[in-house]
Amino acid sequence: MRGRIPNMFILIILALLVSISCEHRELLDPQGMHYIRIYLDEDIRNVTYGFYNPDLERPEYKSPQVFRAVLASPETGRIVSEKYLSNSGEDERGRYIDGYMPAMAGTYDFLAYQMGSVVTLVENADNYNTMRAYTKQISSRLMEYLPATRQNIDEGRIVNQPDLFFHSAHRGIKVRNNTYIDTLLTAEGDYFTAHSMVQSYYIQVRVSGFEYIRSAVSLLGGLAGSSRISGHGEFEMSDSVYVFFGMKYTGKERHAASETTTATLYATFNTFGKLPDAKNVYAICFEFSLSDGSTQMERIDITDMFDTPIVRDKQWILLEDEILIKPPEGADKGGGLNPGVDDWEDVQAEITM
């Protein structure tokens, strides 16, 4: 019949209208986008400032380039929105990483952390409350530098020192309905700021008989093997580890009377932190590889030093002990068994991916 719409056509129109009116808005709805800016606090003691001796070789530092930002349910910790931020800028306040993040209206816990490290790894990345940063055990090749130390230390994993690791965590972030792109801010109404949850310590010790050494590595016990990312300093007390690091040398002095060379060995090492309730376990173990292929291990208890102002405030561990290296067999005969200091062997860490 002319002028009448077929019943089937009417049903199709009604179905379309119902589907549109009941449309569920996903997190990627443009009306639910929010601007995020994360400033970087790059004042890191013994890395970017506060060196014990500015003339010594400084640790390499690279500014973070990519962050993962997440919003999580305060009740369950489950991640409900995430975004990877890589745009960067700089103003009078400093360098920042920024971008846009989707989120529905509500109250969330916010967390942003640095991406790109091959040493500092993240586990439980899908939950705000249990997400942790950690490092793996050292490689079998590095274990070869520790034949004596492994026989003389307490139980505990020997791990790589972590890279510097920036994070920013805030609870109770309010997200409102918006018809335009607004800005997510802290409870104080400010942009977010990321700090390094990894600390850097400088350590040095004097060694007599340096001419007999090919290389030196160290382990420091009583340190945390991991840390919860949303709560810096929240450690698992059972996760006590030894952090592995190599030593460099400086300040060589040749003594005519004893015909030996004294040098200062030093290093800057990184750690998630020391376990607050661990007593009498902060022992530094030095293992020296000597020119005849033998090793010498020395252990120094530094528990009491952590309570001194110079360690607490400056993170400098300046050992007063002078380690005496025993001449290896045949060292007084010359030849290839008595190398000069230019024969020092650098120890490179291998990272297992």
Side-chain angles (χ1 to χ4, degrees):
M1 295 176 61
R2 183 175 298 178
R4 297 181 61 182
I5 302 175
N7 290 338
M8 182 61 69
F9 185 75
I10 293 175
L11 291 174
I12 294 174
I13 295 297
L14 288 174
L16 289 174
L17 291 174
V18 170
S19 65
I20 293 175
S21 63
C22 296
E23 179 184 359
H24 176 69
R25 292 184 179 273
E26 298 293 337
L27 290 178
L28 294 179
D29 191 315
Q31 293 185 353
M33 296 299 291
H34 310 272
Y35 175 73
I36 295 177
R37 177 177 294 188
I38 306 170
Y39 281 96
L40 304 179
D41 179 4
E42 298 184 283
D43 289 335
I44 305 169
R45 184 172 292 280
N46 294 314
V47 177
T48 60
Y49 84 102
F51 298 99
Y52 174 72
N53 184 343
D55 296 330
L56 299 182
E57 183 177 344
R58 302 183 181 187
E60 181 180 358
Y61 173 73
K62 293 182 179 179
S63 187
Q65 301 299 315
V66 179
F67 273 76
R68 181 193 183 213
V70 303
L71 291 172
S73 165
E75 290 77 24
T76 66
R78 183 178 64 87
I79 306 301
V80 298
S81 180
E82 68 176 325
K83 189 70 174 181
Y84 291 89
L85 311 176
S86 59
N87 184 57
S88 64
E90 189 169 352
D91 58 18
E92 66 282 353
R93 185 169 169 177
R95 183 170 177 266
Y96 60 82
I97 304 290
D98 67 354
Y100 300 91
M101 187 173 190
M104 302 290 286
T107 300
Y108 302 96
D109 292 338
F110 172 85
L111 175 64
Y113 63 88
Q114 173 185 350
M115 302 292 294
S117 171
V118 297
V119 181
T120 305
L121 307 175
V122 176
E123 62 181 0
N124 303 328
D126 59 348
N127 192 285
Y128 180 96
N129 296 324
T130 59
M131 201 182 306
R132 303 188 70 82
Y134 71 101
T135 60
K136 290 185 176 182
Q137 296 188 97
I138 63 174
S139 67
S140 57
R141 177 179 178 273
L142 292 181
M143 280 289 191
E144 295 175 359
Y145 287 90
L146 301 166
T149 303
R150 282 180 293 164
Q151 304 300 320
N152 292 277
I153 63 175
D154 302 326
E155 292 186 4
R157 294 184 300 127
I158 302 174
V159 301
N160 295 295
Q161 56 175 316
D163 283 338
L164 296 173
F165 189 78
F166 286 79
H167 75 139
S168 179
H170 297 268
R171 293 188 179 272
I173 299 299
K174 304 291 185 181
V175 177
R176 296 174 175 82
N177 281 320
N178 63 316
T179 57
Y180 58 90
I181 296 178
D182 61 358
T183 301
L184 293 187
L185 300 172
T186 66
E188 295 75 26
D190 195 6
Y191 293 116
F192 301 103
T193 300
H195 310 269
S196 176
M197 62 186 291
V198 170
Q199 296 179 317
S200 297
Y201 283 79
Y202 172 86
I203 187 170
Q204 73 174 33
V205 64
R206 286 175 60 82
V207 175
S208 178
F210 176 69
E211 67 270 28
Y212 305 128
I213 303 175
R214 292 192 309 185
S215 64
V217 295
S218 301
L219 298 179
L220 181 57
L223 302 179
S226 63
S227 180
R228 191 161 71 85
I229 300 177
S230 60
H232 173 49
E234 296 185 18
F235 308 125
E236 293 181 2
M237 297 306 298
S238 61
D239 191 18
S240 177
V241 299
Y242 291 90
V243 170
F244 175 94
F245 54 94
M247 303 291 290
K248 303 180 184 297
Y249 67 89
T250 186
K252 301 179 293 294
E253 301 175 9
R254 183 70 176 178
H255 302 284
S258 60
E259 295 186 350
T260 60
T261 300
T262 298
T264 299
L265 304 188
Y266 73 96
T268 300
F269 68 90
N270 296 332
T271 173
F272 291 115
K274 63 185 185 69
L275 296 177
D277 296 330
K279 303 298 183 183
N280 302 316
V281 294
Y282 303 116
I284 181 74
C285 300
F286 299 100
E287 182 138 349
F288 304 97
S289 174
L290 305 185
S291 56
D292 66 345
S294 64
T295 62
Q296 178 175 329
M297 179 248 184
E298 300 289 337
R299 179 179 177 132
I300 302 174
D301 189 337
I302 61 172
T303 301
D304 295 337
M305 293 190 68
F306 280 99
D307 293 326
T308 61
I310 195 169
V311 178
R312 185 179 61 247
D313 300 334
K314 297 182 179 296
Q315 295 165 206
W316 295 344
I317 302 174
L318 310 178
L319 300 177
E320 297 180 355
D321 307 69
E322 181 168 303
I323 296 175
L324 175 62
I325 301 299
K326 303 172 185 177
E329 184 178 353
D332 57 343
K333 298 179 181 179
L337 296 179
N338 193 4
V341 292
D342 292 337
D343 296 311
W344 179 270
E345 178 182 350
D346 289 328
V347 178
Q348 302 293 332
E350 293 181 349
I351 306 302
T352 302
M353 299 294 291

